[in-house]
Amino acid sequence: MTAVLDAPEKVLGSATPRLFTPPLVEGPAGPCGCGCALTPETSLGFQAVTFAEDVVGVALLGWQRWWLIHALELRADGTFRFQTVLTLVARQNGKTHLLKILALYMMYLGKADLVLGAAQSLDTAKESWQGAVDLAEDAPDLAAEIAPNGVRRANGDICFTLTSGARYRISAASRSAGRGLSVDLLILDELREHRDWLAWGALSKTTTARPNALIVAISNAGDDQSVVLNSLRSGALGEQDQRMGLFEWSAPDGSELDDVAGWAQANPGLGVTVSEEKIRSYMLTDPPATFRTENLCQRVDALDAAVDLASWQASRDPQGSLKEVRARIAACVDVAPDGAHVTLCGAAVLDDLRLRVEVLAAWPSASAARRELPALLGKIKPAAVGWFPSGPAAEIGAEMRAIEALELKGQEVTEACQEFAGLVGGRQILHPDDALLNAHISGTSKLRSGDGWRFARKGAGHVDAAYAAAGAVRIARTLPPPEPKRHRARVF
């Protein structure tokens, strides 16, 4: 008889965001279904859900219903509670579909005379606009209210107009976007791509003269250059602006890449619009920083970061020390391109075959390192010393060759950097949480060459400590393995 195995339970995304601005109203749970007290009297979201499902004829996901109900919350005077709604959600979970429904609801129910959709590229904004037009043309009740010649697609004049006069226009996000317009609903897609405040300054001001305007900014997470997104999110978390709402579907900080629970928190459409298998495939093929922003909706320092900082932070071990394995220490030195910083790092293989890396010394100049390095190495007596002769460390080449240091050059440089990043990602490298090393590791990005990469120096801050650490780890792994500890036989 063949045993029948139970099929694994299907993982579904969370309809409720991990972080969100709670409703103003308190009391017994309303019909929302999430336990909050919102009702059709305190949120237009219920009406928007009915419009989507009964008039447009589309089925909404649970998170989309939740979002409409909470984003369209009302104040006591009947105006929108929020002036700005910031939403973060991982890619491919149905946010474009949600924006189409919102735009149509606001137009057809008389909540917006002008909807303006903006994205970094006009093509992106047009895609959402075209989707809204298609939905309206396919629903008989909506199609009947499209004005004669109400759909214009000419370059520079893309507009969707109803018989009521309500319009939906689009624009690329730029410093001149929307000037001269008074907008009731402003939709900003992919806010993470706003690298300065010029487009936000121009677009957000289009709502100033409208008494009940709503700005909806939606995106997945970004990096340190996503200045607008990061600032708005920080303000919302700090409750600096009572008229700003934050709804964020994201994996918790520090979560593992393969944490399926984190996938569900960042991907509310998991199991419907995006599959667990697809996310797992991305996890195995994408760089960690890319996977975190795109699929876990987590902010990273740099999208092309060379080292997974979550794994680096998780491997902190302030109590440990290289002193315990000082006979195995391999050292490596590197110099910043401007000669204004030099770092000597040490690394050793531990008894459990993990590695530990530490900063042994740092200098503010190559001349200072040149004076002190030989004596310091004589005191430490590392098992081996290395350097990168084809890089900025050439400035101390005479000293390194005098001590017959190992040279890491050519393909070995690429191997050292990629090997280091892989070991960090696998939680195989411990470190003391040193501020200097943390800063240099955080600043690493990839300089690609062919199918490989090394740590970028040009345009980056100092990363000599990262290079020195990677070189030390590389050399430590080539030394003879530590002898296993011998235990005396017990005599009875």
Side-chain angles (χ1 to χ4, degrees):
M1 180 176 176
T2 303
V4 179
L5 299 177
D6 293 335
E9 186 175 349
K10 186 176 183 180
V11 178
L12 296 177
S14 172
T16 304
R18 185 176 68 87
L19 301 173
F20 66 92
T21 305
L24 288 174
V25 294
E26 298 179 354
C32 175
C34 70
C36 76
L38 290 172
T39 66
E41 288 71 38
T42 55
S43 171
L44 291 180
F46 294 95
Q47 188 183 64
V49 170
T50 300
F51 170 81
E53 297 180 341
D54 294 349
V55 181
V56 184
V58 298
L60 295 175
L61 300 179
W63 82 270
Q64 293 168 332
R65 286 193 290 269
W66 189 100
W67 187 92
L68 286 168
I69 291 170
H70 288 74
L72 301 183
E73 182 182 357
L74 299 173
R75 296 194 297 178
D77 62 1
T79 59
F80 287 127
R81 175 199 175 177
F82 301 117
Q83 292 178 344
T84 303
V85 176
L86 178 61
T87 303
L88 286 91
V89 62
R91 297 282 298 278
Q92 300 300 314
N93 281 277
K95 68 179 177 64
T96 301
H97 185 66
L98 174 63
L99 296 177
K100 292 184 292 188
I101 293 299
L102 176 66
L104 292 177
Y105 166 73
M106 296 284 281
M107 292 174 67
Y108 277 90
L109 272 293
K111 310 301 179 184
D113 290 332
L114 178 58
V115 175
L116 180 62
Q120 282 304 101
S121 73
L122 195 62
D123 286 343
T124 301
K126 186 176 180 180
E127 181 179 353
S128 184
W129 176 90
Q130 183 61 58
V133 171
D134 291 342
L135 287 176
E137 291 179 333
D138 289 342
D141 290 342
L142 301 184
E145 295 186 38
I146 299 176
N149 301 314
V151 179
R152 298 198 302 273
R153 298 181 176 87
N155 289 336
D157 188 24
I158 298 175
C159 188
F160 172 39
T161 307
L162 305 183
T163 55
S164 65
R167 295 173 296 153
Y168 181 179
R169 300 176 63 92
I170 62 173
S171 172
S174 68
R175 63 185 303 169
S176 60
R179 293 190 182 276
L181 299 178
S182 291
V183 177
D184 298 288
L185 172 62
L186 173 62
I187 297 174
L188 292 173
D189 199 0
E190 294 303 337
L191 190 68
R192 76 173 194 171
E193 299 301 330
H194 289 229
R195 306 301 191 183
D196 56 48
W197 289 91
L198 297 177
W200 171 267
L203 287 162
S204 62
K205 303 308 180 289
T206 63
T207 64
T208 302
R210 306 304 295 167
N212 196 28
L214 182 64
I215 299 174
V216 173
I218 196 163
S219 181
N220 60 309
D223 59 11
D224 279 355
Q225 296 185 54
S226 305
V227 294
V228 178
L229 171 61
N230 297 338
S231 178
L232 294 181
R233 181 179 182 272
S234 296
L237 289 173
E239 298 182 355
Q240 297 173 7
D241 184 353
Q242 299 300 314
R243 300 298 302 276
M244 176 177 289
L246 172 67
F247 306 119
E248 178 177 317
W249 282 265
S250 63
D253 294 338
S255 61
E256 303 284 354
L257 296 179
D258 61 355
D259 182 3
V260 178
W263 297 0
Q265 288 178 294
N267 295 268
L270 183 61
V272 184
T273 64
V274 60
S275 69
E276 185 178 344
E277 292 76 17
K278 200 71 173 179
I279 294 180
R280 191 173 301 278
S281 175
Y282 292 142
M283 180 193 72
L284 296 173
T285 58
D286 288 355
T290 299
F291 183 77
R292 288 193 181 280
T293 55
E294 302 283 1
N295 300 103
L296 298 185
C297 203
Q298 293 177 326
R299 174 181 169 180
V300 298
D301 288 347
L303 286 175
D304 201 25
V307 178
D308 179 33
L309 295 183
S311 296
W312 176 257
Q313 292 167 1
S315 300
R316 294 174 292 187
D317 180 27
Q319 305 306 317
S321 172
L322 283 177
K323 293 180 180 178
E324 303 167 3
V325 287
R326 62 182 310 143
R328 307 174 197 161
I329 294 177
C332 186
V333 65
D334 193 54
V335 180
D338 60 4
H341 201 271
V342 182
T343 306
L344 175 70
C345 281
V349 178
L350 305 176
D351 292 337
D352 62 4
L353 300 185
R354 291 185 296 176
L355 293 106
R356 182 175 182 85
V357 64
E358 295 180 8
V359 173
L360 301 178
W363 298 272
S365 67
S367 58
R370 192 179 294 114
R371 288 193 304 269
E372 300 175 13
L373 181 59
L376 179 62
L377 290 174
K379 181 179 180 181
I380 297 174
K381 294 182 173 60
V385 182
W387 66 302
F388 299 92
S390 57
E395 188 172 351
I396 57 171
E399 287 74 21
M400 300 310 296
R401 289 193 171 92
I403 62 174
E404 298 182 348
L406 298 172
E407 296 185 353
L408 298 173
K409 54 187 177 181
Q411 183 62 27
E412 286 185 296
V413 180
T414 296
E415 291 174 2
C417 293
Q418 293 188 208
E419 178 182 68
F420 183 82
L423 289 168
V424 170
R427 310 287 173 90
Q428 294 300 301
I429 294 181
L430 302 179
H431 61 91
D433 200 24
D434 177 82
L436 169 62
L437 190 54
N438 288 345
H440 285 215
I441 294 295
S442 298
T444 57
S445 59
K446 297 176 182 177
L447 176 63
R448 300 185 182 276
S449 177
D451 292 334
W453 54 265
R454 62 183 64 186
F455 299 149
R457 296 185 188 270
K458 185 177 180 180
H462 290 159
V463 292
D464 46 283
Y467 262 102
V473 166
R474 169 81 171 177
I475 297 168
R477 296 184 75 235
T478 63
L479 295 175
E483 294 184 6
K485 291 183 177 180
R486 296 181 180 181
H487 299 278
R488 292 183 179 181
R490 297 179 62 183
V491 179
F492 295 92

